[in-house]
Amino acid sequence: MISERPLRIAIVGSGPAGMYAAGHLLEGPGGTFINGGLNQIVRRPVEVDVLERLPTPWGLIRSGVAPDHPDKKRMAAIYDSIARRQGFRFIGNVQVGRDVSPADLSQWYDGVIYAVGADDERRLGITGEDLRGSDSARAFVSWYNGHPDFSDLQFDLRCERAVLVGNGNVAMDVARILFSPISALHNTDIASHALDALGKSQLKEIVILGRRGPEHAAFNYPELMELGELADTAISVEGADLSLTPENADYETQLKVAALAKLCKEKSQGSRRIVFRFNAAPTAIVGGGQVAQINVVDRRDQSEQVLNAGLVLAAIGYRGLAIDGLPFDDVRGVIPSCDSRIVDNGIAIAGAYVTGWIKRGPKGIIGSNKKCARDAVTAVMVDVDSNLLPMEGTLSAAQVLEAINARVSVTLGFSGWQKIDRQEQSDGRAQGRPRLKMTATGAMLGLVTAG
Amino acid sequence: MSYVITAPCVADYSCVEVCPVDCISPMPDDSGFDAATQLYINPVLCVDCDACREACPVNAIFAEDQLPEKWLDYIGINAAHFQSHTQTVAEVRHDK
Ligand SMILES: Cc1cc2nc3c(=O)[nH]c(=O)nc-3n(C[C@H](O)[C@H](O)[C@H](O)COP(=O)(O)OP(=O)(O)OC[C@H]3O[C@@H](n4cnc5c(N)ncnc54)[C@H](O)[C@@H]3O)c2cc1C
Ligand code: SF4
Ligand code: SF4
């Protein structure tokens, strides 16, 4: 049975995975890259609603990617052009699992693709983790990027030493932002509350802890090299001998370790210092109310050391957050799936799909989600053709909006976001900045609803 | 000459989609793609057509002779992706 009406799909989350899924569903004239070439994978009209819990779209492009990486922030332009395609609708300020349930969505739509990312974090699990001055790198990153859930946080940087636990790319971003000149950050869209706090920073040293040796360091080469570009900043290594990297390490590892050794040699002087400390695990964070020190054990000889520090940030990974009404793999922190189809106890739930970090876990860069979303859309199309989608009782676009607005007092469409976007850019221009982010949901919704 | 992919690459394979000679790797369905930290251009096969540079959304691609100074090392990094493991490891150690 071929229906006359367009296929109606909801996508939950407007980050890279969700927006690439929308892009593939509303396939451009060029087609989709699959099986080694551009091919058409969608052969019927489709309407897509992207539901986003924030008033602002683009997920971690806005709230994760570092503000001093404007090239990467330009990915927003790609998603913006997808949002302008026929059949696309953005519905902001709707949280699935709270405002509407997965059961509602499966009734209202032919199919639902969950692309909710990783809205939680892994914890250290050591004492003192909840002291003031100790937080996750995720909170710090979200704060400097102006994510409304984190904008009320206070990070006091008037201390000498910060310790980052974990040495992946997020730790590199944090270290670089902490030591970037304020004049350079002023030219980015970093949140103004973060600019103020960074302006008062007295940090002299950042220690980056890695549990294992340099051959297992999680950072990538480009992010490491950017630390080397920081002025007046010495770089050193403790807890490992860089000349002992195993000969059998792969090329990327050899490249990274050689680059780190070179940086240590070339950047031995500076009034500030970044210390890569390997084979080190934190055992406790200590302080009376506020962080004063972190205890670290050298995993080679079990010797203990105390580091005085006023700020401790755990950069040990983002993690998926369970959504009420959907299965969740609590060990991996993902929604369990098979070939992008959500499975509950091994059985696929009809019309429910998953893509992006909530499917694969918090790994892979922006483009990894494009292929991932393509595969989810391919699964949707296979299931439509096999009559596996629950297409009875699907609501029209107007009916869905009515149903959502009956439960959420204010939602916004893409034009609402464009209004916020224009406001941020003009506020930015007034201060000689590319953008002045709005960081409070209430103010954003107020702007959208004001005439 | 050749074209070269540099640090900003986000692996969205817009370049792969337009390259006339399939010289950019890994392609999305290759086993190494999901873990790739960037894509690479094979300097032996590249025909300097400029299509990838135009397609790249983050300006990560440059003609070799237009490379910003700080990314000159990406000539070697791109080439290394297509060479045998032992050879390139020896080169890295030599540079150091
Ligand atoms: C700090 C950081 C820096 C990074 N830097 C880079 C980089 O430089 N280059 C690069 O290529 N990659 C980078 N990445 C990786 C990249 O950001 C991810 O690969 C990508 O964002 C994952 O996409 P996603 O759509 O799965 O998740 P997200 O981007 O997290 O998007 C998920 C969206 O879903 C929304 N959402 C969540 N729950 C709900 C709900 N219940 N209802 C409605 N909406 C919901 C969220 O608000 C969000 O908008 C970085 C990641 C981090 C964390
Ligand atoms: S188009 Fe640019 S960002 Fe995308 S994979 Fe190619 S080089 Fe990387
Ligand atoms: S310049 Fe042309 S041939 Fe060379 S990598 Fe780019 S698209 Fe391919």
Side-chain angles (χ1 to χ4, degrees):
Chain A
M1 182 196 76
I2 296 175
S3 54
E4 296 291 310
R5 66 170 176 85
L7 189 67
R8 291 200 37 79
I9 304 290
I11 296 172
V12 185
S14 63
M19 288 309 298
Y20 281 127
H24 285 310
L25 282 165
L26 306 173
E27 196 173 31
T32 295
F33 193 87
I34 192 163
N35 302 326
L38 287 167
N39 294 288
Q40 193 186 355
I41 61 169
V42 178
R43 294 169 189 285
R44 54 168 69 226
V46 183
E47 289 176 357
V48 173
D49 282 352
V50 171
L51 277 56
E52 167 60 54
R53 76 177 182 89
L54 300 175
T56 56
W58 321 146
L60 288 169
I61 302 296
R62 182 172 163 106
S63 67
V65 169
D68 61 342
H69 282 166
D71 277 340
K72 295 178 191 184
K73 296 266 184 198
R74 288 178 44 189
M75 291 309 290
I78 299 286
Y79 307 137
D80 184 85
S81 71
I82 291 170
R84 290 159 193 270
R85 289 186 195 164
Q86 177 82 30
F88 181 96
R89 185 167 68 172
F90 176 76
I91 309 179
N93 200 37
V94 182
Q95 183 166 334
V96 174
R98 185 193 65 188
D99 304 324
V100 301
S101 70
D104 293 331
L105 295 184
S106 69
Q107 198 148 65
W108 298 346
Y109 292 93
D110 297 324
V112 186
I113 302 177
Y114 290 87
V116 293
D119 256 358
D120 199 3
E121 64 222 3
R122 289 180 54 205
R123 312 238 325 146
L124 290 170
I126 58 176
T127 57
E129 201 173 353
D130 296 321
L131 288 172
R132 199 157 10 93
S134 160
D135 214 323
S136 64
R138 184 178 79 99
F140 189 75
V141 165
S142 306
W143 169 78
Y144 69 55
N145 274 318
H147 189 297
D149 291 359
F150 298 85
S151 290
D152 292 336
L153 295 183
Q154 308 273 341
F155 287 98
D156 189 348
L157 306 175
R158 289 168 301 175
C159 52
E160 292 239 324
R161 183 189 282 136
V163 175
L164 310 183
V165 184
N167 59 16
N169 290 332
V170 175
M172 300 300 112
D173 280 355
V174 169
R176 193 180 67 252
I177 294 294
L178 282 172
F179 272 1
S180 287
I182 292 298
S183 56
L185 293 177
H186 186 266
N187 296 327
T188 75
D189 70 1
I190 191 168
S192 46
H193 55 242
L195 203 55
D196 291 345
L198 286 161
K200 298 187 189 117
S201 167
Q202 290 166 8
L203 284 175
K204 287 272 176 276
E205 183 172 291
I206 299 172
V207 179
I208 302 174
L209 302 180
R211 285 185 66 81
R212 298 194 284 170
E215 68 280 12
H216 293 116
F219 56 77
N220 291 335
Y221 176 77
E223 284 74 11
L224 174 67
M225 295 307 280
E226 283 178 298
L227 292 187
E229 291 170 23
L230 293 170
D232 192 28
T233 305
I235 295 181
S236 61
V237 163
E238 290 175 4
D241 183 346
L242 294 183
S243 61
L244 296 180
T245 312
E247 297 274 346
N248 59 358
D250 62 18
Y251 174 73
E252 274 188 60
T253 304
Q254 299 272 352
L255 182 69
K256 279 185 332 195
V257 176
L260 182 54
K262 199 157 165 239
L263 282 181
C264 290
K265 208 185 293 170
E266 287 171 1
K267 308 235 359 168
S268 60
Q269 302 294 320
S271 68
R272 306 205 280 194
R273 203 157 84 104
I274 296 175
V275 182
F276 283 86
R277 197 180 165 126
F278 293 101
N279 294 301
T283 52
I285 301 169
V286 184
Q290 164 75 33
V291 172
Q293 60 188 56
I294 175 167
N295 300 349
V296 174
V297 63
D298 186 322
R299 297 178 69 239
R300 297 168 304 176
D301 60 10
Q302 304 306 317
S303 62
E304 296 239 13
Q305 203 204 344
V306 172
L307 287 173
N308 292 330
L311 179 68
V312 174
L313 297 174
I316 55 172
Y318 283 48
R319 194 177 193 279
L321 190 63
I323 291 196
D324 251 354
L326 285 179
F328 191 67
D329 177 339
D330 207 34
V331 177
R332 292 182 57 221
V334 299
I335 294 177
S337 64
C338 179
D339 294 335
S340 305
R341 295 172 180 90
I342 298 182
V343 293
D344 195 5
N345 290 316
I347 297 168
I349 303 176
Y353 306 84
V354 69
T355 184
W357 274 15
I358 193 61
K359 165 178 157 190
R360 310 190 316 278
K363 44 182 186 281
I365 55 177
I366 294 166
S368 323
N369 302 293
K370 180 173 169 185
K371 173 195 161 194
C372 185
R374 177 203 74 183
D375 293 346
V377 168
T378 307
V380 173
M381 289 304 141
V382 167
D383 292 353
V384 182
D385 289 342
S386 320
N387 286 319
L388 290 175
L389 289 190
M391 296 180 65
E392 292 281 308
T394 293
L395 302 186
S396 70
Q399 288 169 321
V400 169
L401 199 57
E402 205 176 300
I404 291 177
N405 283 331
R407 301 174 193 207
V408 186
S409 55
V410 185
T411 60
L412 69 160
F414 199 68
S415 62
W417 151 244
Q418 288 173 314
K419 203 166 172 186
I420 296 171
D421 190 26
R422 279 196 302 273
Q423 183 74 40
E424 289 186 339
Q425 294 190 44
S426 76
D427 288 350
R429 265 194 303 278
Q431 298 194 10
R433 303 190 54 197
R435 172 186 297 275
L436 195 67
K437 279 185 174 176
M438 300 184 75
T439 60
T441 300
M444 289 190 255
L445 296 179
L447 173 72
V448 171
T449 48
Chain B
M1 209 186 62
S2 168
Y3 277 58
V4 177
I5 301 181
T6 63
C9 176
V10 298
D12 81 325
Y13 59 91
S14 298
C15 51
V16 173
E17 292 172 349
V18 298
C19 177
V21 295
D22 284 352
C23 70
I24 305 176
S25 172
M27 302 238 258
D29 294 300
D30 291 347
S31 60
F33 178 80
D34 287 342
T37 54
Q38 68 159 91
L39 304 196
Y40 308 90
I41 292 174
N42 187 332
V44 178
L45 300 180
C46 171
V47 297
D48 298 335
C49 74
D50 202 48
C52 57
R53 190 193 57 77
E54 272 180 38
C56 178
V58 296
N59 294 341
I61 307 184
F62 297 86
E64 198 178 300
D65 59 4
Q66 306 281 317
L67 266 175
E69 172 92 29
K70 66 173 177 176
W71 286 331
L72 283 176
D73 49 349
Y74 282 84
I75 297 174
I77 291 172
N78 277 248
H81 182 77
F82 301 92
Q83 288 167 10
S84 79
H85 171 72
T86 37
Q87 189 185 347
T88 53
V89 165
E91 280 168 17
V92 170
R93 296 199 155 241
H94 180 73
D95 284 353
K96 173 170 77 171

